[in-house]
Structure formats: structure tokens, C-alpha cells
């Protein structure tokens, strides 16, 4: 592997955007803010990579109009993943390791206001065997939550405590609510919003030059599991465990972890798979279920973790991103501030 | 200094308008298995999978990589899904090669595909959105004005488009995987075919295909064990520009020029027209051959059509373009770019069969997408760079 060190040197997120969000406008706003707050000159960016999902915008190339928001002129070296932006960051990290470039811009944008995201995510299931059954995301998540309860690992009250954290509600009060899909209630799901986030990556000396405390990527890995829920043991998350092991290597228990749990019960699965101990603060950026921007939530976890290291709140962090039903595909990064 | 990277396996499906004999997993697996066989490998030898395809609306499955991961042997592995519009097949090859060059992996499977018969690409391309120009006539309606502009600028005679159509169809007859087979193709037949989008006639357009392409990229230390010759990746490049602004030249896009210039510079190519032995260019409508020849610096400005007219781009010409028959013969959209990259690799491996260009040592694969705004290209050679 390349001996190049790559760091996150900037992060910007858009506040929750109202309905009808336009890709170009969201991306322009967040990328502009990112460069305003960074001393990294735009012309040092050697690669641009983004993540989004066409169906969220109801159009076949949502990233084309987003690129208009970046101002890609003169032409830029650029690529896009139809995935969460966390995987766009991975692609940019790889590109930086090749030595071809010294800095990269990564962004992700998503939209929940233009259509029925549950219908969209039903269409991500196997089109021959699963999607025609019409099983909604809540139904699959509930299967996983039920499996955890049946295994005696966690209870509905545990899930409610995750949901109550950072709110003025008690877990007991939340448990009064009706089920959306038993054993899950509406509060067990992160609310979905429109939004965009952007991250700056730089290698070696350039990272040190433009950032006092770069968040060095000490390890990053991603893994996918088989798709069919019936083939998986839903009470464990082997792809998170494997990615976590590879990202962390022999590095110490992190000071903090930013995880992407679309559903409350998944916070436990992720924490367990990453072998996080009580000393690690989980999602200090806010509640685990604070918000879920489609295809940008994972990149925002990485960005929030990096921002805390850069600010000096902590020295080490793990960040996690997920895609697909029941945590099918996952990415884990280990970040460390200070000299590298 | 990045690691060296080589193509050690290539596979593709038979392309057809409807591969009703195969599911989507079956389609991608047919290509992947052929690539593994070519490389003398099995699934367990693969470290990571990179999958590319054009918009998910072309099949109506959201993020199909999620359900295809198992069929592609990716369970437990890193899996990336690339989507850069029509250029995506090329981008998929580039992204996979970077995983090797960066030293992250030793063997990477890149797969790109489209199963157009599952849905209707024309429908997907004709959605209307607020504040964006409608593309109501699909790709042909979008690109025909660019062709007209090229003809007006260059003064090219109309038979040049017909020549490309005939040449690519004749080449396609030599390619066992090609979708369109028109044995009695002739200038007269093209000329008499219906006008679809002036000046593009029916036989000057690509088909809609089901198909997949797979390549296996390996690090330098995997090459000796491979049973067949390697195609060394000498350079890759990608460039993008915005869709809409007043100063944009869509006929000869800056991003395409920059992409080619960066590619040649990285590979140390100073005279691409003479140094490149074969080029697989993304030509969905006949006229894009002379347009891309100029855009990519393979012909002087305004001279691309003369190169075509002289026969130089024929299989036995000085610079054979699309010896495989190209996109004009098979267009599984998401796979079309990777097919260009793969066919370039087959040429320098000496494995292109009947459409082999004699002695090809350096070949170019090229793809473009969006409104002529996304470009991906690579140069592969029989010799180690």
C-alpha cells in the first residue's frame, strides 16, 4: 500500500433544507461554504467525487445538475458513485494514494421531499424475489429488530432509550406510541431530510499547510454482505465488524465514534460490531437518530468526526456509513488528529 | 510512484436487444465468468468488485449492486458502484485501475452492464424537470443539433456519416459478441434508411442492447501467473464539465480535449495519431467518429471527416477506429464504455480474433456521457510502461 498520508482538512454541511431542494443549489451552497472556511485554494483540487441517488430526485442524472453547482470550469477530473458520499470519499482517498493528485473535493446530496423514499427503497430490493412482495423499509428493519429481541440481546425499551437521547422525552413516554412495524415505532427511525455535505481531502504536506489539526485517515475499509435478508443472521453485522477491524488495525479504542444508524436498534448492532467500549462517545455531533439525508448521511458522519478532531475535541475517532436494507453494506474509517 | 496495473482478463456477453434467457444476475455473471476464465482465476482470487451502469431507471431497480453483489462474488468484499452517465463503463475501468495503482488491492473485477429490455431508456431520458431544458427526443434529439453544427463548421459531405455506419457494421460482422449483424450493409442502404433526427438516419444510430462486460485488473505481480498476455495500463484520464453555460462548445468539448491531452501526457505519447495502433471510441451516432477524432487530437480541427473519407479508420487503415464494430453495433449503455476499454485491451493482447489489428501495441479506449460533458479514456499497451 502507498505510504502517503491523507487527511480530512475541511467539512461543511447544509442546515436542513426545505422541500423542493434543487441539487445544483444545495451543492453550490455547501461547496461555497467549504471553500470560504478553508485556506485550501480551489485550484489545488485534483479530483472531485460525489455521491447521490437518482431516484431521490426522480430523474436519471441528478449528479449532472449538481456538477453545475460546483462550477466545473475549466473542466475537472471528476467521478460519481451511485452510493452514499462516504464511498465517494473512499474513491478520492484511493486517488490520493496513487500520488496523481494532492487534494480532492468530495460532496454528497440527497433529497427526501420530492417523493416517497419508502417506495424508492422498496425498489432497491431483489426485483425478482423481494421487491414484488412490496415489503417496505420499516418491515425489513422490524425483522432485524425482532431478531435482536428474540435473541435476548436488546429490548424495545433499549431502542426507545436511543430515540429519547438528546430529546426532552423519556423512553417510557416513547413506548406509549403505536407501532409502525412491530417492534418499531416512528421514533425509532432517523427523520429524513434534504441536504448536502462536502469534505476536503489533502495529502501530506499540503494537509499540514492548510489545516492546523488535519484528521488523518489512518484506516478505511468497506464491505458488502449478501442481499437476501433470509440468508443473513440479522443479529450481527459481519461487514461492519470486518471493515472496522481493517480500518482500525492495532490503533487504540477511539475517543469518539460517529455512526450512521437509520433505525434505533441498529445503533446497538453497529456499536457491537465495531467493538466500541463505554469510553467512546457515540455521535457527539447530536443524536444517533438526528437526521438522515439520503446518500449524504454517511459522509456527514465522517465529516462530523473529522471536524471534532480538527477542533481539538478529541484525538481519535471512528466513523461509519451504511447502505442497503438491514445494514447490508458498510464503510468504516479510523481518523486521528495530530502529527502523521 | 504508483504501482503498475494490467488487464489480465476480459469477458463480455453476447449482446442482443433482449437477453430474455438471462436475469440481471445471469447477465453480469456471464461476463464475469468469461473474464475469470480468461485470467485463469476463480471468484476467491478477487479482492474487490467495481460495478458500473447508467441510470437505475433504465431497469427500474434502485442501486442494483445491492442485489447483484452475491452474483458477482462480492459477498464480504469491498464493492463500489460507479455512475457517470454514458461514460460510466470507462469510469468503472479507471476506478478499478486506481485501486491497483494505489496498492489497495492486487486483483479487482470491474463489471459494467445494462439490461435495456427491462425498461425503456427513452422514457427515462425524457423526464422533465423544473429549470432544465427538456430532452424529450432522447439521446438522438439531443445530439443531432451538435452533428449539424459539426457539419456546418467543417463542411463535411453527408456520405461521411454513412461511411462510418458501413465501416462499423462490417467490423461488427467479425465480432462474435456484436448485437447488430447486417451482412448486406452498404452506403446505399444507409442513405435510404429513414431519417430519424436530421441528419442522422436510422442506420447511423446505435441499437438498444442488453449486455455486460467484465475485466480483471491485476497488480504487476499477478501478470506472470496469468495464462494469457496482459494489457498494461499506460495511462487513464477523466474530465467533466458543466452541462449548461453560454461559453460551452458542445461540438468540441473542452473536457474531451483536456482528457485526451492529460492521457497522452501521462503515457508520454507525443503523436497520438501515429503512435496509437487502434482506437475504440464511443460513437453512438456515426458522425461522432469524425467529431471525436478531432476532439481527441487524432485529427486536426476540421480534418476528422477527411480521415474517415480516406479510409484511414477502417480495420486495415492507418488508424483503425472501432475494429469491434463499436457502440454502433452493440449498446448496452452502462457497459459500452467498458467494452471500449476491454476491446482496446484485446487488441494489444492480440486476442481480438477476426477483428484483430495486426501488430497492435498501443490502443485507446474512450467513453463519453451526459450532454457530451463526461469523458473517460485509457491507453493500454502490450509492453510494460
Amino acid at each position: 500500500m502507498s505510504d502517503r498520508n491523507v487527511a480530512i482538512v475541511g467539512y461543511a454541511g447544509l442546515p436542513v433544507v426545505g422541500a423542493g431542494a434543487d441539487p445544483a443549489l444545495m451543492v453550490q451552497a455547501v461547496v461555497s461554504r467549504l471553500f470560504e472556511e478553508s485556506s485550501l485554494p480551489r485550484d489545488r483540487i485534483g479530483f472531485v467525487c460525489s455521491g447521490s441517488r437518482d431516484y431521490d430526485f426522480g430523474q436519471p442524472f441528478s449528479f449532472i445538475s449538481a456538477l453545475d453547482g460546483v462550477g466545473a470550469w475549466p473542466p475537472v477530473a471528476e467521478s460519481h458513485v451511485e452510493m452514499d458520499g462516504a464511498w465517494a470519499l473512499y474513491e478520492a482517498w484511493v486517488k490520493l494514494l496513487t500520488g496523481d493528485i494532492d487534494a480532492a473535493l468530495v460532496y454528497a446530496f440527497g433529497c427526501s421531499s420530492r417523493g416517497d423514499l419508502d417506495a424508492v427503497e422498496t425498489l432497491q430490493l431483489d426485483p425478482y424475489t423481494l421487491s414484488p412482495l412490496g415489503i417496505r423499509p420499516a418491515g425489513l428493519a422490524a425483522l432485524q429488530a425482532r431478531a435482536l429481541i428474540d435473541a435476548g440481546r436488546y429490548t424495545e425499551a433499549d431502542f426507545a432509550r436511543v430515540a429519547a437521547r438528546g430529546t426532552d422525552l423519556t423512553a417510557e413516554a416513547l413506548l406509549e406510541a403505536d407501532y409502525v412495524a412491530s417492534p418499531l415505532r416512528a421514533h425509532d427511525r432517523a427523520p429524513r431530510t434534504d441536504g448536502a455535505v462536502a469534505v476536503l481531502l489533502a495529502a501530506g504536506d499540503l494537509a499540514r499547510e492548510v489545516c492546523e489539526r488535519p484528521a488523518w485517515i489512518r484506516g478505511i475499509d468497506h464491505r458488502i454482505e449478501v442481499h437476501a435478508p433470509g440468508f443473513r443472521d440479522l443479529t450481527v453485522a459481519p461487514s461492519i465488524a470486518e471493515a472496522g477491524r481493517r480500518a482500525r488495525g492495532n490503533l487504540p479504542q477511539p475517543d469518539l465514534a460517529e455512526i450512521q444508524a437509520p433505525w434505533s436498534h441498529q445503533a446497538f448492532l453497529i456499536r457491537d460490531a465495531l467493538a466500541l467500549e463505554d469510553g467512546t462517545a457515540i455521535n457527539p455531533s447530536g443524536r444517533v437518530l438526528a437526521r438522515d439525508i439520503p446518500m449524504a448521511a454517511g459522509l456527514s458522519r465522517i465529516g462530523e468526526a473529522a471536524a471534532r478532531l480538527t477542533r481539538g475535541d478529541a484525538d481519535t475517532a471512528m466513523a461509519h456509513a451504511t447502505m442497503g436494507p438491514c445494514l447490508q453494506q458498510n464503510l468504516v474509517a479510523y481518523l486521528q488528529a495530530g502529527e502523521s | 510512484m504508483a504501482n503498475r496495473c494490467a488487464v489480465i482478463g476480459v469477458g463480455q456477453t453476447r449482446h442482443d436487444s433482449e437477453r430474455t434467457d438471462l436475469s440481471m444476475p445471469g447477465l453480469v455473471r456471464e461476463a464475469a465468468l468469461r473474464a475469470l476464465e480468461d485470467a485463469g482465476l476463480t471468484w476467491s482470487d478477487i479482492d474487490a468488485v467495481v460495478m458500473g451502469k447508467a441510470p437505475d431507471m433504465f431497469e427500474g431497480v434502485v442501486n442494483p449492486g445491492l442485489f447483484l453483489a452475491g452474483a458477482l462474488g462480492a459477498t464480504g468484499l469491498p464493492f463500489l458502484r460507479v455512475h457517470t452517465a454514458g461514460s460510466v463503463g470507462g469510469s468503472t475501468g479507471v476506478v478499478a485501475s486506481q485501486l491497483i495503482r494505489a496498492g489497495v488491492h492486487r486483483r479487482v473485477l470491474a463489471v459494467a452492464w445494462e439490461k435495456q429490455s427491462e425498461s425503456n431508456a427513452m422514457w427515462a431520458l425524457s423526464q422533465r424537470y423544473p429549470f432544465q431544458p427538456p430532452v424529450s427526443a432522447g439521446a438522438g434529439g439531443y445530439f443531432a443539433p451538435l452533428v449539424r453544427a459539426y457539419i456546418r463548421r467543417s463542411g463535411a459531405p453527408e456520405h461521411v456519416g454513412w461511411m462510418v455506419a458501413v465501416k462499423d457494421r462490417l467490423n461488427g460482422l467479425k465480432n462474435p459478441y456484436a448485437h447488430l449483424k447486417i451482412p448486406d450493409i452498404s452506403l446505399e442502404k444507409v442513405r435510404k434508411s429513414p431519417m430519424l433526427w436530421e441528419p442522422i438516419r436510422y442506420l447511423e444510430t446505435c441499437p438498444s442492447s442488453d449486455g455486460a462486460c467484465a475485466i480483471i485488473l491485476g497488480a504487476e505481480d499477478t501478470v506472470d501467473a496469468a495464462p494469457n498476455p496482459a494489457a498494461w495500463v499506460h495511462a487513464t484520464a477523466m474530465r467533466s464539465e458543466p452541462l449548461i453555460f453560454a461559453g460551452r462548445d458542445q461540438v468540441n468539448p473542452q473536457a474531451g480535449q483536456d482528457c485526451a491531452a492529460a492521457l497522452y501526457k501521462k503515457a508520454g505519447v507525443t503523436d497520438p495519431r501515429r503512435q496509437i495502433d487502434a482506437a475504440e471510441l464511443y460513437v453512438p451516432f456515426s458522425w461522432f467518429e469524425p467529431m471525436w477524432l478531432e476532439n481527441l487530437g487524432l485529427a486536426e480541427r476540421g480534418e476528422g471527416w477527411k480521415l474517415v473519407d480516406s479510409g484511414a479508420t477502417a480495420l486495415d487503415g492507418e488508424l483503425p477506429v472501432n475494429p469491434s464494430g463499436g457502440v454502433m453495433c452493440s449498446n448496452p449503455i452502462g457497459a459500452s464504455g467498458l467494452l471500449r476499454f476491454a476491446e482496446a485491451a484485446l487488441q494489444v493482447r492480440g486476442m481480438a480474433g477476426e477483428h484483430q489489428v495486426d501488430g497492435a501495441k498501443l490502443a485507446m479506449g474512450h467513453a463519453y456521457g451526459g450532454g457530451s460533458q463526461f469523458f473517460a479514456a485509457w491507453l493500454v499497451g502490450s509492453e510494460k510502461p
Side-chain angles (χ1 to χ4, degrees):
Chain A
M1 179 110 80
S2 163
D3 54 7
R4 248 188 157 205
N5 290 310
V6 175
I8 295 169
V9 297
Y11 167 68
L14 271 194
V16 177
V17 176
D22 178 81
L25 295 178
M26 288 197 292
V27 168
Q28 183 180 37
V30 78
V31 168
S32 299
R33 178 183 301 177
L34 183 66
F35 281 108
E36 277 162 22
E37 292 171 359
S38 173
S39 58
L40 180 67
R42 265 196 186 224
D43 61 12
R44 296 297 299 272
I45 299 294
F47 184 56
V48 177
C49 200
S50 63
S52 67
R53 183 167 66 189
D54 283 347
Y55 265 80
D56 296 343
F57 295 88
Q59 66 187 77
F61 306 102
S62 60
F63 59 90
I64 291 185
S65 48
L67 191 64
D68 285 352
V70 175
W73 191 262
V76 294
E78 188 263 350
S79 191
H80 171 263
V81 291
E82 189 79 354
M83 303 181 85
D84 188 286
W87 280 265
L89 180 141
Y90 182 87
E91 185 180 328
W93 170 77
V94 170
K95 181 95 171 164
L96 280 154
L97 288 189
T98 65
D100 290 352
I101 59 161
D102 296 319
L105 165 67
V106 179
Y107 61 92
F109 56 98
C111 177
S112 63
S113 64
R114 281 204 190 178
D116 177 355
L117 279 192
D118 279 1
V120 166
E121 289 178 0
T122 297
L123 287 177
Q124 78 179 356
L125 305 175
D126 185 315
Y128 302 101
T129 61
L130 204 51
S131 182
L133 302 177
I135 185 166
R136 309 282 278 189
L140 281 173
L143 282 177
Q144 189 175 37
R146 176 63 64 199
L148 280 174
I149 291 172
D150 289 350
R153 302 255 309 276
Y154 298 100
T155 64
E156 289 180 39
D158 291 328
F159 306 158
R161 272 192 288 279
V162 171
R165 206 187 99 190
T167 73
D168 50 11
L169 300 168
T170 64
E172 291 69 32
L174 290 177
L175 287 169
E176 300 290 317
D178 290 338
Y179 291 121
V180 171
S182 172
L184 296 175
R185 300 173 171 82
H187 61 246
D188 286 310
R189 181 179 218 176
R192 312 228 262 181
T193 67
D194 301 351
V197 301
V199 168
L200 286 174
L201 295 176
D205 290 341
L206 181 60
R208 289 180 203 100
E209 206 176 292
V210 300
C211 184
E212 267 187 43
R213 264 173 73 86
W216 299 100
I217 299 173
R218 299 295 304 275
I220 185 167
D221 194 87
H222 63 105
R223 302 278 145 174
I224 193 167
E225 296 175 32
V226 73
H227 178 69
F231 284 167
R232 298 167 56 193
D233 177 354
L234 295 177
T235 64
V236 288
S239 60
I240 300 177
E242 178 72 4
R245 266 193 301 274
R246 287 172 180 267
R248 184 171 159 189
N250 295 318
L251 294 162
Q253 183 76 206
D255 297 333
L256 65 90
E258 287 282 341
I259 61 171
Q260 184 196 354
W263 299 87
S264 61
H265 67 277
Q266 293 173 339
F268 297 105
L269 274 165
I270 298 162
R271 188 195 65 184
D272 293 349
L274 293 177
L276 296 176
E277 294 164 9
D278 287 345
T280 296
I282 295 190
N283 286 31
S285 67
R287 304 167 57 228
V288 170
L289 301 181
R291 64 170 176 154
D292 183 4
I293 311 167
M295 301 300 119
L299 183 61
S300 80
R301 298 299 96 218
I302 300 173
E304 292 285 354
R308 267 153 193 78
L309 299 190
T310 294
R311 279 212 304 264
D313 294 357
D315 294 323
T316 54
M318 288 182 86
H320 159 260
T322 193
M323 280 186 58
C326 301
L327 304 172
Q328 188 196 342
Q329 186 172 19
N330 296 278
L331 178 145
V332 180
Y334 190 103
L335 309 177
Q336 187 169 32
E339 254 333 286
S340 184
Chain B
M1 177 66 193
N3 298 342
R4 288 192 180 96
C5 171
V7 178
I8 55 173
V10 170
Q12 61 182 295
T13 59
R14 177 177 56 80
H15 311 294
D16 208 342
S17 55
E18 294 184 25
R19 284 298 304 268
T20 50
D21 57 323
L22 290 175
S23 63
M24 287 177 251
L27 189 77
V28 294
R29 223 173 146 82
E30 183 171 292
L33 281 168
R34 284 174 180 162
L36 285 170
E37 189 184 3
D38 181 3
L41 300 175
T42 63
W43 294 107
S44 60
D45 296 314
I46 299 299
D47 301 326
V49 178
V50 182
M51 190 197 90
K53 69 175 292 301
D56 292 352
M57 286 173 183
F58 285 2
E59 287 80 17
V61 184
V62 173
N63 286 129
L66 294 169
F67 96 96
L68 291 173
L72 286 170
T75 304
L77 298 184
F79 181 91
L80 283 169
R81 156 69 194 286
V82 181
H83 174 20
T84 61
S87 63
V88 65
S91 310
T92 303
V94 172
V95 171
S97 73
Q98 282 166 358
L99 288 166
I100 305 286
R101 293 186 58 238
V104 176
H105 298 300
R106 287 180 64 234
R107 292 191 192 95
V108 175
L109 170 66
V111 180
W113 63 282
E114 208 74 63
K115 203 160 194 301
Q116 289 208 60
S117 65
E118 296 288 343
S119 176
N120 186 326
M122 188 74 121
W123 166 80
L125 291 171
S126 302
Q127 301 295 305
R128 295 199 64 168
Y129 322 105
F131 315 116
Q132 288 182 34
V135 192
S136 324
Y142 188 93
F143 291 117
L146 308 186
V147 171
R148 289 201 295 275
Y150 172 75
I151 291 172
R152 191 174 64 244
R153 280 184 199 179
S154 66
E158 62 181 343
H159 72 265
V160 168
W162 310 338
M163 284 183 71
V164 174
V166 170
K167 184 256 303 173
D168 282 0
R169 266 55 188 266
L170 289 175
N171 289 350
L173 291 173
K174 300 176 191 292
N175 179 353
Y177 300 104
H179 170 182
L180 282 189
K181 302 273 188 183
I182 310 174
D184 61 341
I185 191 76
S186 66
L187 288 177
E188 190 63 6
K189 196 169 162 120
V190 178
R191 187 177 73 81
K192 285 188 171 161
S193 66
M195 184 68 79
L196 295 187
W197 306 273
E198 212 280 309
I200 301 171
R201 292 182 182 276
Y202 178 71
L203 285 175
E204 291 178 273
T205 67
C206 58
S208 292
S209 313
D210 289 354
C213 178
I215 59 174
I216 293 166
L217 289 152
E220 188 168 4
D221 65 356
T222 68
V223 168
D224 285 346
N228 291 312
W232 294 93
V233 178
H234 285 226
T236 67
M238 288 167 70
R239 287 293 184 279
S240 308
E241 66 186 44
L243 178 62
I244 304 165
F245 73 98
R248 202 175 158 235
D249 181 357
Q250 296 199 48
V251 178
N252 189 9
Q254 189 65 43
Q257 297 178 41
D258 291 1
C259 185
L263 187 76
Y264 304 146
K265 188 177 172 204
K266 278 186 205 171
V269 166
T270 51
D271 185 354
R273 161 116 169 245
R274 274 160 199 88
Q275 286 174 267
I276 293 171
D277 300 310
E280 284 278 344
L281 309 183
Y282 199 110
V283 175
F285 303 101
S286 61
W287 281 96
F288 274 83
E289 178 172 307
M291 288 164 69
W292 291 146
L293 287 171
E294 294 178 29
N295 185 244
L296 300 172
L298 296 168
E300 295 297 318
R301 187 79 61 96
E303 305 281 316
W305 69 267
K306 293 176 188 165
L307 208 58
V308 176
D309 204 21
S310 74
T313 61
L315 190 51
D316 57 357
E318 160 205 342
L319 174 61
V321 175
N322 291 324
S324 69
V327 180
M328 290 285 287
C329 289
S330 311
N331 189 29
I333 301 178
S336 291
L338 193 60
L339 283 165
R340 307 282 68 71
F341 279 40
E343 287 287 351
L346 288 176
Q347 289 294 342
V348 299
R349 299 171 82 203
M351 295 174 69
E354 273 192 73
H355 61 280
Q356 177 69 45
V357 173
D358 281 344
K361 284 189 162 53
L362 187 67
M364 179 175 185
H366 157 268
Y368 87 103
S372 290
Q373 64 186 126
F374 299 112
F375 295 86
W378 80 3
L379 280 172
V380 285
S382 54
E383 304 292 330
K384 206 182 277 192

